[in-house]
Amino acid sequence: MNMECGRETTVQCREEISLSQIAQSGQCFRWTEVKREDGQYWWRIPAFRRVVYMRQEDKEMGRLHVSCSRDEFEHVWAPYLDWDTDYRAIRAGIPENDVWLREAAEKGAGIRILRQDPWEMMITFILSQRKNIPAIRLCVDKLCRAAGDLLGEFDGEEVYAFPTPAQVLSLRCHKIGAGSCSADDAGPCTFAQKGIGSCSLGYRMPYVHAAAVFAAGGDDGGFSDAFRELASLSDEDLLTALMQIKGIGIKVASCIALFGYHRLNTFPVDVWMKRALAEHYPKDFSIDAFSPYAGVLQQYMFCAQRAEGAGRR
DNA sequence: ACCCAGGGCCACT
DNA sequence: AGTGGCCATGGG
């Protein structure tokens, strides 16, 4: 019996699933790989105001060891991992003649589209713009430490929940408001007080503020009606509604829809996707060919293109 | 020092 | 309706 872990459960997926591939797929920015007291490397995953550990052996593409009860896994983490979606069937639908994509999909067969918190995805991808992935991780971590609730101490470090809209607004940094602010503004600045500058938000600070204003609502620090209604919109209407928020353009809106609302046919086009399309597809190619799971295929493409790029640079 | 990053806004045509 | 400069910050 492992006293530290409390419990450990082994679960078996019916198809491939790879924690390391998911961690590298650019959709989650808070996973941390840690060596625990049992000598094993685990992914420490904070989400939904909880923390769970997961690991798997090298050749166990479908088996997971998790640090929670079977009941919690089934109700919280299996949905998070999109446990029941048939990704093999999705890969089987890739056009026969698209050899590059078929190869990319086989290499990335363990990727899942996580069902993450929509609000967290909204803020995360707003601040992702013009940042590389390590910088996004750093920025999200700073924001959680500055504004989120302490969940506890894990592996010798404090882990914080992702802040609520009200908590983001409560930062009251003089730079976060929409209006300009002179350097001698003596107003409160929680960011500075905590010694973390401005959470590295940079010019995205008013965008984060605008999203928090949109999402904040209710007297209980919950979400606004406008925010809650997003979930019921069609894919197209969801993108349009998201883009009404200053700082959310088509790419960020697509990421929010794909990773926060599990709209598997939305196809975020970033610099990597532009390279992939330029290098592997004809100029007049239409991504309609990727329907109805364009978003899943996009993740295979994203990982494959980044792997190619890493070799050249 | 240099270039780049899971872009978007705004002022120009 | 398209296009280019600009934005602030950290990694490689």
Side-chain angles (χ1 to χ4, degrees):
Chain A
M1 177 75 72
N2 186 330
M3 303 304 286
E4 282 306 313
C5 295
R7 42 175 111 63
E8 179 180 327
T9 306
T10 301
V11 288
Q12 179 69 50
C13 191
R14 60 180 166 144
E15 60 176 345
E16 295 92 331
I17 181 167
S18 166
L19 296 176
S20 61
Q21 286 183 3
I22 294 169
Q24 292 168 17
S25 68
Q27 56 176 312
C28 50
F29 302 91
R30 301 198 66 200
W31 289 28
T32 309
E33 196 166 30
V34 294
K35 187 175 186 178
R36 304 191 70 198
E37 290 167 4
D38 59 4
Q40 304 279 0
Y41 286 92
W42 294 75
W43 289 102
R44 188 183 69 209
I45 301 170
F48 310 127
R49 306 180 67 82
R50 300 165 182 253
V51 177
V52 71
Y53 294 85
M54 300 188 193
R55 72 175 181 89
Q56 60 188 151
E57 306 289 342
D58 287 343
K59 287 298 177 185
E60 294 182 332
M61 281 293 275
R63 183 190 300 268
L64 260 56
H65 307 272
V66 298
S67 69
C68 63
S69 67
R70 190 166 299 278
D71 184 69
E72 179 178 336
F73 182 80
E74 287 178 5
H75 288 95
V76 179
W77 303 111
Y80 175 72
L81 293 168
D82 200 21
W83 199 247
D84 294 323
T85 295
D86 188 346
Y87 283 80
R88 279 187 189 171
I90 293 173
R91 289 197 296 281
I94 296 172
E96 299 272 351
N97 61 344
D98 195 338
V99 176
W100 180 76
L101 179 51
R102 282 194 162 265
E103 197 169 308
E106 286 316 305
K107 282 184 190 165
I111 294 172
R112 324 284 292 188
I113 307 294
L114 300 178
R115 294 178 186 264
Q116 300 189 79
D117 176 65
W119 157 248
E120 180 173 337
M121 292 300 96
M122 179 179 283
I123 296 302
T124 297
F125 281 97
I126 285 174
L127 59 81
S128 79
Q129 64 179 260
R130 209 65 187 174
K131 283 179 180 289
N132 55 29
I133 289 177
I136 298 168
R137 294 177 57 89
L138 180 65
C139 191
V140 170
D141 184 62
K142 285 182 179 179
L143 187 61
C144 292
R145 289 177 186 278
D149 293 324
L150 180 64
L151 294 174
E153 187 167 313
F154 299 84
D155 316 296
E157 56 180 317
E158 294 179 335
V159 176
Y160 290 82
F162 195 86
T164 65
Q167 286 177 321
V168 170
L169 292 176
S170 76
L171 286 172
R172 307 194 69 77
C173 177
H174 65 273
K175 288 181 177 176
I176 205 169
S180 62
C181 204
S182 61
D184 53 44
D185 188 338
C189 182
T190 308
F191 289 150
Q193 286 166 6
K194 297 206 175 190
I196 54 168
S198 57
C199 292
S200 305
L201 292 175
Y203 63 85
R204 307 159 191 87
M205 211 172 310
Y207 301 160
V208 171
H209 182 262
V213 168
F214 176 85
D219 302 326
D220 55 353
F223 291 95
S224 63
D225 291 341
F227 184 87
R228 286 200 302 265
E229 284 167 4
L230 292 176
S232 64
L233 299 178
S234 67
D235 291 4
E236 188 179 346
D237 289 347
L238 175 60
L239 294 178
T240 302
L242 288 169
M243 286 191 290
Q244 304 306 307
I245 300 170
K246 192 162 293 285
I248 300 182
I250 183 60
K251 188 271 174 182
V252 169
S254 299
C255 285
I256 298 167
L258 179 57
F259 302 127
Y261 292 92
H262 211 250
R263 306 302 176 93
L264 296 185
N265 201 31
T266 55
F267 190 89
V269 178
D270 63 2
V271 291
W272 296 102
M273 219 43 48
K274 286 175 182 169
R275 286 174 193 150
L277 291 169
E279 293 179 18
H280 302 287
Y281 292 85
K283 277 195 292 288
D284 60 349
F285 181 79
S286 169
I287 59 172
D288 292 342
F290 295 147
S291 186
Y293 295 105
V296 178
L297 307 191
Q298 191 268 6
Q299 281 301 94
Y300 298 137
M301 295 171 65
F302 178 79
C303 291
Q305 190 63 33
R306 274 169 52 87
E308 292 179 18
R312 277 178 316 212
R313 262 185 281 277

